[in-house]
């Protein structure tokens, strides 16, 4: 396609609208991925021309992250040479310009104000990832026919003893749920007062509560990560800014990339889908008085020793930690999680909840999972997952000749894998019995990424052998 659709052009214009005083003296540097094939680059060049012809911006220039000229720095030079004094560096798709390079250029040109735009959001069109697509969609209709590597719930769960606890709670379904015992158990598990604990119907409800209950003005979500936080914020009417972590840095967190003016920041640890475990102290660098720092630790119990965890910390201002009990324990259908935060934040979130938001069976499950037995079993499971993940990564690294790359090092119960022509490969894999999670619905990733859940060694060997056959058939 050499002519971008009108919806994409409109979305680009909205995303590049970063100066409140208007667009007529603003230049846009439209940044794409870049390719050695000039036909591929022609679409971005056409988009730049059409965006400029619309007349809203003083100028629009193209640039490319790699593979084509001009690069971002050269593009900025051209904008300045044409007289620009305000420039928006605008991604054309889910591609992250080198923000350090942009900041260094801006520092060297103090007479030019430079801001970063967000990737365009276009419903149903190219340019906007589907934030509501999750792994269960890959197996929703014909999942019983597929080996499920798309959903991150641990197999063989819930264990028998946990099922028995939940089943016993059914005798009391006539009574309204009473969450006091479960809340106290979670507080004891993390060594905090009960006033710092809120039980929720999974982490997804917590994201909705945060979006609706807190009066934030400038929320920022660090991507690639679980997309539900941004979707919940957008549904609540917030304009969400994105910070896209760089593949060249291994998708590791750089706290300096987050705008100083952000009053809510969301980051995952370990992050879904990259499986990156960020250092706790790098995340703490994001804390500020007046800022809410949300850390999604839904997969932290899958990390041996829960190293880098912030759950239980009370010395970090504005810290909100989210935990889920659905992944390790196989309780996705029961919906149970919790929030750890300052008492004032907990009160605000609680006011936004409906009455009796967590069912009695889910409350019983929460108590069991955070008990001494539950914590010990989760730790043993985490060590098993780590060994199985290392085996899977080793097999995938053996496919380097086919262009397969594993992002890493991985620390979660899943791995992020670059596979050439991943969209086609994913569909062919379904035909041979495997479901993997598409990666292009995560902001900051493109069409060549898939997420693969860690399973037992036999399943991993079978999957990688199938993937090798599929890739070999393309040769």
């Amino acid at each position: 396609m050499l002519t971008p659709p009108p919806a994409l052009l409109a979305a680009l214009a909205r995303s590049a609208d970063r100066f409140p005083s208007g667009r007529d003296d603003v230049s846009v540097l439209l940044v794409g991925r870049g390719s050695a094939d000039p036909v591929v680059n022609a679409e971005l060049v056409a988009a730049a021309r059409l965006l400029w012809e619309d007349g809203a911006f003083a100028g629009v220039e193209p640039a490319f992250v790699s593979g084509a000229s001009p690069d971002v720095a050269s593009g900025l030079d051209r904008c300045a040479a044409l007289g620009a004094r305000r420039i928006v560096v605008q991604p054309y798709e889910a591609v992250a310009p080198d923000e350090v390079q942009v900041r260094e250029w801006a520092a060297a040109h103090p007479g030019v104000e430079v801001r970063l735009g967000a990737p365009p959001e276009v419903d149903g069109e190219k340019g906007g990832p589907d934030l509501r697509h999750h792994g269960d969609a890959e197996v929703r209709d014909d999942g019983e026919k597929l080996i499920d590597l798309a959903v991150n719930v641990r197999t063989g769960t819930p264990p028998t003893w946990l099922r028995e606890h939940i089943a016993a709670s059914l005798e009391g379904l006539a009574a309204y749920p009473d969450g006091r015992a479960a809340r106290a158990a979670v507080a004891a598990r993390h060594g905090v007062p009960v006033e710092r604990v809120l039980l929720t119907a999974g982490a997804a409800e917590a994201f909705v509560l945060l979006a609706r209950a807190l009066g934030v003005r400038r929320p920022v979500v660090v991507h690639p990560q679980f997309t539900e936080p941004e979707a919940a914020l957008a549904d609540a009417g917030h304009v969400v800014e994105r910070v896209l972590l760089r593949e060249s840095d291994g998708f590791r967190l750089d706290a300096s990339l987050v705008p100083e003016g952000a009053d809510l920041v969301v980051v995952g640890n370990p992050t879904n889908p990259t499986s990156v475990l960020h250092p706790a102290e790098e995340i703490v660098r994001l804390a500020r008085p007046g800022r809410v720092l949300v850390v999604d630790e839904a997969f932290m119990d899958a990390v041996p020793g829960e190293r880098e965890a912030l759950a239980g910390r009370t010395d970090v201002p504005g810290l909100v930690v989210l935990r889920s009990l659905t992944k390790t324990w196989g309780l996705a259908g029961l919906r149970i999680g919790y929030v750890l935060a300052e008492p004032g934040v907990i009160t605000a979130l609680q006011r936004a909840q409906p009455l009796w938001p967590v069912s009695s069976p889910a409350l019983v499950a929460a108590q069991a999972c955070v008990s001494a037995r539950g914590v010990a079993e989760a730790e043993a499971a985490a060590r098993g997952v780590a060994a199985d993940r290392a085996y899977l990564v080793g097999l995938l690294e053996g496919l380097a000749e086919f262009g397969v790359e594993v992002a890493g090092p991985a620390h979660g119960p899943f791995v992020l894998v670059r596979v050439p022509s991943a969209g086609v490969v994913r569909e062919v894999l379904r035909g041979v019995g495997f479901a993997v999670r598409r990666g292009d619905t995560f902001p900051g990733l493109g069409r060549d990424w898939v997420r693969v859940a860690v399973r037992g060694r036999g399943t991993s060997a079978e999957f990688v052998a199938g993937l090798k056959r599929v890739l070999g058939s393309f040769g």
Side-chain angles (χ1 to χ4, degrees), residues 134 152 222-227 268-276 296 298-299 327 414 437 442 445 451:
H134 299 298
N152 289 323
V222 179
H223 287 288
Q225 79 150 1
F226 184 48
T227 54
N269 202 37
T271 302
N272 171 20
T274 64
S275 209
V276 169
D296 177 7
F299 293 99
K327 309 297 191 296
F414 46 86
R437 170 67 159 89
F442 293 99
L445 298 181
R451 190 191 68 197

Side-chain angles (χ1 to χ4, degrees), residues 98-418:
D98 187 332
E99 294 187 25
V100 174
Q101 182 186 44
V102 171
R103 291 181 181 182
E104 288 177 348
W105 188 95
H109 298 77
V112 182
E113 187 175 359
V114 181
R115 296 189 181 183
L116 290 165
E121 290 286 355
V122 188
D123 293 336
E125 299 278 358
K126 174 186 171 180
D130 179 4
L131 301 181
R132 294 296 191 186
H133 182 93
H134 299 298
D136 61 319
E138 311 283 355
V139 293
R140 186 170 294 146
D141 296 323
D142 53 359
E144 73 281 355
K145 304 174 185 176
L146 302 171
I147 295 175
D148 180 10
L149 304 178
V151 176
N152 289 323
V153 173
R154 183 165 63 102
T155 57
T157 54
T160 300
W161 68 270
L162 181 54
R163 290 175 188 265
E164 291 173 350
H165 273 282
I166 295 170
S169 73
L170 300 181
E171 296 295 328
L173 289 184
Y176 284 99
D178 183 348
R180 288 177 296 177
R183 191 180 183 192
V186 171
R189 156 80 171 89
H190 294 287
V192 298
V194 292
E195 293 79 13
R196 298 183 70 97
V197 176
L198 180 70
L199 301 172
T200 61
E205 187 205 8
F207 289 125
V208 173
L209 296 176
L210 288 165
R212 294 179 179 177
L214 303 183
V216 298
R217 299 177 306 279
R218 190 180 179 186
V220 170
V221 179
V222 179
H223 287 288
Q225 79 150 1
F226 184 48
T227 54
E228 202 59 29
E230 180 173 330
L233 285 162
D235 287 347
H238 297 283
V239 177
V240 184
E241 294 183 51
R242 294 174 179 170
V243 168
L244 302 180
L245 302 182
R246 296 181 289 265
E247 179 189 350
S248 59
D249 291 339
F251 299 112
R252 290 187 293 273
L253 176 65
D254 179 352
S256 68
L257 298 178
V258 175
E260 189 63 33
D263 59 357
L264 182 143
V265 179
V266 185
V267 62
N269 202 37
T271 302
N272 171 20
T274 64
S275 209
V276 169
L277 184 65
H278 305 299
E281 291 311 308
E282 185 67 15
I283 296 177
V284 169
R285 285 183 58 206
L286 292 169
R288 309 266 187 288
R291 171 185 286 178
V292 178
L293 173 58
V294 180
V295 185
D296 177 7
E297 291 189 351
F299 293 99
M300 187 60 78
D301 60 355
V303 177
E306 294 196 1
R307 61 189 188 279
E308 312 303 343
L310 289 172
R313 291 276 294 266
T314 60
D315 60 320
V316 182
L319 177 65
V320 177
V321 175
L322 275 56
R323 286 288 183 106
S324 171
L325 298 173
T326 64
K327 309 297 191 296
T328 289
W329 296 104
L331 300 175
L334 196 59
R335 311 306 307 144
I336 179 63
Y338 54 89
V339 180
L340 304 172
E342 298 168 357
V345 172
I346 295 297
T347 298
L349 300 182
Q350 196 168 28
R351 286 174 179 161
Q353 274 187 314
L355 290 173
W356 313 290
V358 180
S359 70
S360 296
L363 293 172
V364 168
Q367 280 186 262
C369 292
V370 300
S371 67
R373 177 179 184 175
V375 171
E377 185 168 319
E379 174 66 15
R383 295 186 183 281
V385 166
D388 289 339
R389 183 182 58 241
Y391 180 77
L392 171 61
V393 169
L395 294 178
L396 289 168
E397 288 176 342
L399 302 183
E401 64 181 292
F402 296 102
V404 173
E405 301 175 32
V406 182
H411 294 275
F414 46 86
V415 294
L416 181 65
V417 186
R418 185 196 292 278

